[in-house]
């Protein structure tokens, strides 16, 4: 199975690393690739009892022998990249096998300034971004005034591009947001200061990955953010500015859809969301607080508390559809150990009408209230279970019921944070 996509099926933070861990137990993974987003992501990885957090780097950076790739669809802050690399180097991690696409767009300090000031300006309509400059960098890309990694190696071109980018940005900063304009010289100097260190890492990553697939190597495309945060398919405008869905992987890596073998959607046994936007199963009561506490639902990137709610099968079915999922990986089932009765959202009611599928408009989605079915809890610690049969009967029934309503087969279930705390439902 050479080309595998692992992506988030809800609003992010589903524990995508668990799926990667399980894949790595059955085959060596040669390449781990990020294809969208930037250092707004957050992966927590535990290796030999040591905890690491990556934001921009693929988790493969911690796997000896694997090549980590930051592909063209990613927006790269060189400052964040080097800070992350230096953090790992200081802990003795070998980071030599990192490749960065020449075509990836660059996040400069002015993108961060604009992200922060525009959020403040939006007031109660704010997106709740991570404030890392992601949206403004993608905005420049689509407006064709972006700076790409390769531009850092040609000062003349770099200056031209920065001038073009700042022409409009500076007007906006000064005239709308009442901020000081950014100086071209300062930005050029800032970006050039990264060039020497970046140069040996840069390559044509589309060529590299396609050749690797031709040779039968295993390539893992590691999702960041998630389906419901997709700029096309998520809860727009409360989304990120890229395409974390499976289609975005092909665009973001320069790899055709016919090359992908598996698309694994990672989904929590309940739901969380960071930032603003609609969330039909969100809980504001003790259950929500308990999910947050037991699940340790605090953002890796921003330290923000995650909003929590019950499993939403409408979202699951939608994710299965827009991603063409071949399977789901259900995570954090153990978090539900103590509930006597577990609600699951099977449909929505919108203005008195039942919707079994995602409503067509965001207005309807904002008005959606969950229709719940209730399942018996299992009331025992499942973190030691290592096979589906070892799970208590009620936990098995919960998993089977979710599978039936979620639109794709369940491959495996996570029962704890450790690499080995996984139950395979069916072998692939
Ligand atoms: P941005 O990606 O910083 O522009 O933020 C846009 C929205 O996506 C905000 O609601 C963020 O909280 C959310 N978001 C971005 N990255 C992640 C992530 O890795 N996990 C969960 N939410 C995220």
């Amino acid at each position: 199975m050479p080309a595998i996509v692992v992506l988030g099926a809800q609003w992010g933070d589903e524990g995508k690393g668990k799926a990667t861990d399980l894949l790595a137990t059955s085959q060596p993974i040669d390449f781990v690739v990020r294809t969208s987003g930037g250092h707004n992501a957050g992966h927590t990885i535990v290796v030999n009892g040591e905890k690491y957090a990556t934001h921009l780097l693929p988790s493969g950076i911690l796997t000896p022998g694997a090549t980590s790739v930051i592909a063209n669809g990613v927006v790269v802050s060189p400052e964040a990249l080097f800070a992350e690399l230096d953090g790992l180097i200081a802990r003795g991690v070998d980071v030599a096998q990192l490749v960065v696409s020449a075509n990836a767009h660059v996040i400069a300090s002015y993108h961060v300034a604009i992200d922060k000031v525009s959020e403040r300006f939006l007031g109660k309509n704010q997106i709740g971004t991570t404030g890392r400059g992601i949206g403004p960098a993608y905005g420049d890309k689509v407006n064709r005034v972006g700076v790409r990694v390769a531009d850092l190696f040609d000062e003349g071109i770099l200056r031209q591009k920065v001038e073009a980018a700042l022409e409009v940005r500076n007007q906006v900063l000064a005239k709308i947001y009442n901020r000081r304009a950014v100086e071209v010289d300062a930005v050029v100097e800032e970006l050039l200061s990264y060039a020497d260190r970046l140069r040996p890492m840069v390559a044509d990553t589309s060529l590299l990955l396609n050749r690797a697939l031709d040779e039968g190597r295993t390539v893992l495309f590691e999702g960041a953010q998630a389906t419901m945060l997709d700029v096309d398919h998520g809860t727009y405008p409360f989304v990120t500015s890229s395409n974390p869905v499976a289609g975005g992987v092909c665009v973001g890596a320069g790899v055709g859809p016919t090359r992908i073998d598996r698309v694994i959607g990672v989904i929590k046994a309940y739901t969380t969301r960071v930032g603003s936007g609609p969330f039909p199963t969100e809980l504001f009561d003790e259950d929500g607080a308990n999910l947050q506490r037991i699940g340790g639902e605090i953002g890796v990137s921003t330290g923000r508390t995650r909003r929590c709610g019950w499993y939403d099968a409408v979202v699951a079915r939608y994710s299965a559809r827009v991603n063409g999922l071949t399977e789901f990986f259900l995570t954090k089932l153990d978090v539900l150990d103590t509930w006597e009765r577990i609600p699951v959202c099977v449909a929505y009611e919108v203005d008195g009408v039942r919707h079994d599928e995602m409503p067509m408009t965001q207005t309807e989605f904002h008005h959606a209230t969950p229709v719940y079915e209730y399942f018996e809890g299992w009331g025992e610690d499942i973190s030691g279970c290592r096979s589906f049969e070892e799970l208590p009967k009620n936990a098995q029934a919960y998993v089977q019921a979710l599978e039936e309503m979620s639109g794709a087969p369940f491959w495996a279930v996570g029962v704890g944070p450790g690499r080995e705390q996984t139950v395979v439902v069916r072998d692939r």
Side-chain angles (χ1 to χ4, degrees):
M1 277 295 184
I4 306 166
V5 174
V6 171
L7 54 79
Q10 296 161 314
W11 276 280
D13 311 307
E14 295 89 353
K16 297 178 263 289
K18 288 288 285 183
T20 311
D21 286 344
L22 184 57
L23 287 165
T25 58
S26 55
Q27 67 218 307
I29 295 174
D30 302 307
F31 292 83
V32 184
V33 189
R34 278 281 309 270
T35 61
S36 69
H39 60 305
N40 49 347
H43 293 291
T44 309
I45 306 144
V46 181
V47 183
N48 301 330
E50 282 226 37
K51 204 166 169 179
Y52 298 87
T54 64
H55 300 284
L56 174 60
L57 292 168
S59 68
I61 201 79
L62 293 162
T63 311
T67 300
S68 290
V69 178
I70 295 179
N72 58 279
V74 177
V75 281
V76 179
S77 155
E79 185 189 6
L81 175 67
F82 294 145
E84 227 171 282
L85 285 173
D86 288 340
L88 293 176
I89 292 166
R91 294 174 70 180
V93 178
D94 176 8
V95 297
Q97 296 219 61
L98 172 68
V99 185
V100 180
S101 168
N103 288 344
H105 279 251
V106 172
I107 301 181
S109 51
Y110 58 91
H111 294 118
V112 180
I114 287 166
D115 196 355
K116 289 187 176 150
V117 78
S118 59
E119 273 285 271
R120 230 171 290 146
F121 218 70
L122 280 170
K124 70 175 176 40
N125 293 324
Q126 65 179 223
I127 313 290
T129 73
T130 57
R132 308 269 157 99
I134 308 296
Y138 277 116
D140 281 0
K141 171 177 173 174
V142 177
N143 281 326
R144 293 162 294 185
V145 289
V147 174
R148 305 208 281 186
V149 165
D151 300 329
L152 269 50
F153 311 127
D154 183 330
E155 187 174 344
I157 292 281
L158 178 65
R159 182 171 293 278
Q160 269 178 35
K161 296 209 169 176
V162 172
E163 274 169 5
L166 288 180
E167 208 171 283
V168 178
R169 288 295 193 201
N170 271 339
Q171 302 281 345
V172 174
L173 271 175
K175 294 189 180 148
I176 297 180
Y177 296 132
N178 209 15
R179 297 290 141 127
R180 214 169 339 127
V182 178
E183 282 181 29
V184 172
D185 282 347
V187 174
V188 170
E189 201 179 307
E190 168 199 337
L191 293 178
L192 281 178
S193 74
Y194 302 121
D196 285 345
R197 190 169 175 196
L198 202 52
R199 195 188 303 263
M201 303 172 191
V202 176
D204 177 343
T205 52
S206 165
L207 184 63
L208 175 80
L209 293 169
N210 278 280
R211 282 195 174 146
L213 289 170
D214 290 344
E215 289 163 9
R217 315 284 289 278
T218 299
V219 178
L220 175 71
F221 296 98
E222 181 175 67
Q225 290 78 49
T227 304
M228 299 306 287
L229 290 171
D230 185 278
V231 68
D232 282 270
H233 300 287
T235 49
Y236 191 90
F238 301 103
V239 292
T240 192
S241 300
S242 62
N243 287 111
V245 295
V249 168
C250 296
V251 178
V255 167
T258 49
R259 309 218 65 164
I260 309 290
D261 299 281
R262 291 172 72 180
V263 183
I264 303 166
V266 184
I267 193 158
K268 265 192 259 212
Y270 52 99
T271 313
T272 62
R273 168 162 211 173
V274 199
S276 323
F279 177 2
T281 63
E282 182 169 15
L283 295 164
F284 301 95
D285 58 7
E286 209 180 307
D287 281 333
N290 286 336
L291 284 174
Q292 200 264 318
R293 179 178 52 80
I294 300 169
E297 296 297 351
I298 295 169
V300 180
S301 269
T302 57
R304 289 184 285 181
T305 302
R306 297 180 187 140
R307 301 155 64 191
C308 295
W310 299 120
Y311 188 87
D312 186 334
V314 185
V315 165
R317 283 196 290 278
Y318 179 72
S319 269
R321 167 158 58 92
V322 299
N323 291 303
L325 296 183
T326 55
E327 64 231 82
F328 275 110
F329 190 120
L330 184 75
T331 56
K332 294 187 120 172
L333 184 64
D334 55 300
V335 172
L336 302 178
D337 279 355
T338 50
W339 270 270
E340 275 176 29
R341 201 177 70 139
I342 305 165
V344 170
C345 169
V346 295
Y348 303 137
E349 202 175 274
V350 183
D351 303 327
V353 178
R354 183 183 165 114
H355 287 245
D356 288 300
E357 295 299 332
M358 187 63 67
M360 189 179 77
T361 68
Q362 279 300 301
T363 307
E364 290 168 301
F365 191 60
H366 277 258
H367 294 166
T369 54
V371 176
Y372 283 120
E373 257 180 42
Y374 297 88
F375 294 85
E376 292 285 310
W378 43 93
E380 59 182 284
D381 178 2
I382 60 168
S383 61
C385 297
R386 291 294 174 272
S387 72
F388 189 69
E389 292 66 37
E390 281 176 44
L391 288 175
K393 285 282 169 277
N394 284 353
Q396 292 186 18
Y398 180 75
V399 171
Q400 276 163 345
L402 294 193
E403 180 176 46
E404 274 164 32
M405 57 179 95
S406 297
F410 277 19
W411 168 43
V413 177
V415 294
R419 282 196 158 172
E420 70 297 344
Q421 288 177 296
T422 298
V423 167
V424 174
V425 180
R426 55 174 59 75
D427 281 319
R428 301 288 302 178

